Amino acid sequence: MFALVAAVTLLVWAGAAAWTSLSTRAEVERVLDRRLVEAARMVAALDIPVGGAPRQVEPSSYERQLSCQIWSLTGRLVGQSAGAPQAPLAQGAPGFSERLVDGEEWRVYTHVDETRGVRVMVGDNLQVRQHLVSDMMLGLLLPALVGLIALGALLWVGIASGLEPLARLAHDLKRRSSDSLASLEIERTPTELSPVVAAMNGLLAQLESARRAERDFVANAAHELQTPLAGLKTQADVARRAEDPQMRDRALMQISRSVDRTSRLVRQLLDLARQQAGIGMTPHRSTPLRAVLQDLKRDYASMAQSQGMEIEIAPECLEGQLAIAPDALRLALGNLVENALYHGNKGRLVRIECAERDGLELRVIDDGIGIPEGEKARLLRRFERGTAAQSQGSGLGLSIAAAAIATAGGQLELRSADSGGLVAAMHFPKHPVSLQQAAIEMT
């Protein structure tokens, strides 16, 4: 920061100094030239006899710089100042000229007075003039240089003082342990750093919330896994000790069910973790529903058959499209269909319907016992199960579906079906392709 500020300051200062130097030098040159003109005219206005011996003007304070010669128009030297060369300072033409006389460079102004018959030449010794201008420039630039150095020192001190709160904040962060997510103190923070500290406090609060959610997730997952694993151990002991073949078969059947339940729980945990991390999800695009729904029906056909149920898809759903990643849609629909197969009445249908409702609503409907109105919001949280559930689920299916469609702005709503079952409705905001438009395009 200091290098940047110093470089900009030096650039501006150098430009201003160069401008001042050039303009001052030009002005001084004009002043000295005007002095030559005025001196020549003043000498010409004096009553100077053209005849007689040449006269020499008494020395003055300008004798080392300014020299004057008075010549008659016939070419005779009438008078000169002390220290002036004997040779003519100029050729004789009126106006300004520069000439080398006795090894010295002179700038001369020649004034011709035809009435008096004289030619007055007043000249500056250019070496003395350059010394005068250089001394004046040095008098201007030396204070500027000293001021620039002083400004640099003040900038260094000012920037260091201004950045001290930032260094103090960095020091406080370095001293913190990795487990500390407490908010930073904002009272002692300068106004310029307050937005940064506020943003960091917001991030720390999010990290604390994420860590708390992770702890809860791990604790709930461990608790959920503990139950089927304990059942597995118990049934294994029973099967190992049982002498009755029927008792052994029942124990082995219970082991198989516990393995299935544990496998389903582990799969759902992996799906939920993958969904939250965004791993394996393809980018958002317009996804045709036909392929996803047909794959879903085929994947869950054996499960539906084992439950004595059937999956039915409304024809209009096959013609629609959704602006969501196909993996996310497949994950959400799969969990809702699986829940419906677990909790629906055997011998009944699990229906998938679509409807236009300020966007597209995709519904999975079962004919089970449904969910009491007061439990619907609670069951959208992880590891929450209904009190009237007929099977022992993991309580993750609905939360996985809600998390999956949230990536596309969708929301999951639980409603009671007319038949008494449950309607799990996934509502998506308006999308570019409606059901009718998609049907026309596919036709």
Side-chain angles (χ1 to χ4, degrees):
M1 185 179 293
F2 173 78
L4 178 62
V5 174
V8 173
T9 304
L10 182 61
L11 181 63
V12 174
W13 201 289
W19 186 12
T20 302
S21 175
L22 293 175
S23 60
T24 303
R25 181 182 292 273
E27 185 63 28
V28 170
E29 294 285 352
R30 285 194 295 271
V31 169
L32 294 178
D33 284 346
R34 284 199 299 269
R35 186 189 63 166
L36 292 179
V37 174
E38 292 172 359
R41 290 176 179 176
M42 287 176 60
V43 171
L46 298 177
D47 187 11
I48 302 174
V50 178
R55 294 189 301 171
Q56 191 174 39
V57 180
E58 294 296 327
S60 68
S61 58
Y62 297 101
E63 61 178 341
R64 295 186 59 229
Q65 179 188 0
L66 195 65
S67 294
C68 177
Q69 291 180 341
I70 306 172
W71 296 81
S72 67
L73 296 181
T74 59
R76 188 176 68 86
L77 180 63
V78 177
Q80 64 179 2
S81 62
Q86 297 299 319
L89 291 174
Q91 295 292 342
F96 287 100
S97 62
E98 293 184 5
R99 188 181 181 191
L100 184 65
V101 180
D102 295 337
E104 294 183 336
E105 191 76 21
W106 292 82
R107 179 168 177 79
V108 182
Y109 178 76
T110 303
H111 177 75
V112 178
D113 191 338
E114 300 285 350
T115 304
R116 296 178 179 273
V118 294
R119 181 180 288 109
V120 180
M121 302 177 184
V122 180
D124 266 339
N125 188 316
L126 286 182
Q127 184 178 4
V128 178
R129 175 186 276 207
Q130 292 301 327
H131 279 303
L132 175 63
V133 175
S134 299
D135 291 344
M136 183 175 294
M137 293 298 101
L138 183 62
L140 288 174
L141 296 180
L142 186 59
L145 180 61
V146 174
L148 184 61
I149 295 174
L151 179 61
L154 292 176
L155 282 175
W156 178 268
V157 174
I159 292 175
S161 176
L163 293 180
E164 184 180 355
L166 187 60
R168 188 169 61 247
L169 177 62
H171 180 67
D172 292 343
L173 289 174
K174 287 180 180 179
R175 289 192 308 170
R176 284 189 168 216
S177 66
S178 58
D179 296 330
S180 176
L181 292 178
S183 299
L184 300 171
E185 294 184 9
I186 201 170
E187 290 78 10
R188 298 186 297 114
T189 304
T191 306
E192 294 80 5
L193 285 181
S194 295
V196 177
V197 175
M200 292 183 69
N201 285 338
L203 178 60
L204 290 173
Q206 292 179 7
L207 290 174
E208 176 63 28
S209 177
R211 179 178 290 184
R212 189 183 309 112
E214 182 182 353
R215 287 196 300 264
D216 295 342
F217 178 79
V218 172
N220 291 333
H223 175 73
E224 291 294 328
L225 284 171
Q226 185 178 6
T227 302
L229 290 177
L232 275 173
K233 185 177 183 303
T234 302
Q235 294 301 328
D237 290 340
V238 171
R240 181 170 53 85
R241 296 175 182 177
E243 297 179 358
D244 184 1
Q246 292 184 354
M247 183 178 296
R248 184 183 300 110
D249 290 341
R250 282 197 302 270
L252 292 175
M253 185 178 296
Q254 290 297 328
I255 290 176
S256 178
R257 291 176 180 173
S258 295
V259 170
D260 290 341
R261 180 184 175 190
T262 305
S263 176
R264 180 170 181 255
L265 174 60
V266 170
R267 175 173 54 80
Q268 288 184 321
L269 288 173
L270 291 176
D271 287 341
L272 183 59
R274 188 181 299 111
Q275 178 62 37
Q276 290 178 336
I279 300 173
M281 295 299 171
T282 57
H284 284 33
R285 63 176 184 271
S286 185
T287 300
L289 294 180
R290 177 183 293 272
V292 175
L293 292 176
Q294 288 178 346
D295 290 345
L296 190 71
K297 184 175 182 178
R298 183 175 58 252
D299 293 341
Y300 285 92
S302 60
M303 182 178 178
Q305 186 178 3
S306 66
Q307 297 286 341
M309 304 175 72
E310 184 180 350
I311 300 175
E312 182 181 80
I313 302 175
E316 63 269 16
C317 292
L318 299 176
E319 311 302 330
Q321 295 188 22
L322 273 177
I324 185 175
D327 299 329
L329 180 60
R330 189 177 293 109
L331 179 62
L333 272 173
N335 277 274
L336 294 181
V337 169
E338 190 172 344
N339 274 359
L341 291 175
Y342 267 106
H343 301 290
N345 290 329
K346 292 186 178 182
R348 299 297 184 89
L349 292 175
V350 172
R351 301 186 304 281
I352 300 177
E353 299 178 356
C354 297
E356 290 282 0
R357 186 184 174 191
D358 193 23
L360 179 63
E361 188 171 88
L362 197 57
R363 305 166 182 165
V364 178
I365 307 171
D366 64 60
D367 294 323
I369 61 175
I371 299 175
E373 193 65 32
E375 295 186 5
K376 290 177 180 176
R378 179 178 63 84
L379 293 182
L380 292 177
R381 299 195 296 265
R382 303 173 190 168
F383 302 106
E384 294 286 351
R385 289 184 291 270
T387 56
Q390 294 179 346
S391 60
Q392 296 298 318
S394 63
L396 286 174
L398 295 177
S399 60
I400 292 175
I405 65 174
T407 59
Q411 293 181 340
L412 179 62
E413 181 184 0
L414 302 181
R415 300 196 296 265
S416 297
D418 296 336
S419 60
L422 179 69
V423 178
M426 296 185 294
H427 180 264
F428 295 91
K430 284 194 175 294
H431 50 284
V433 183
S434 66
L435 293 175
Q436 294 82 358
Q437 290 173 332
I440 294 173
E441 291 178 2
M442 295 186 72
T443 303

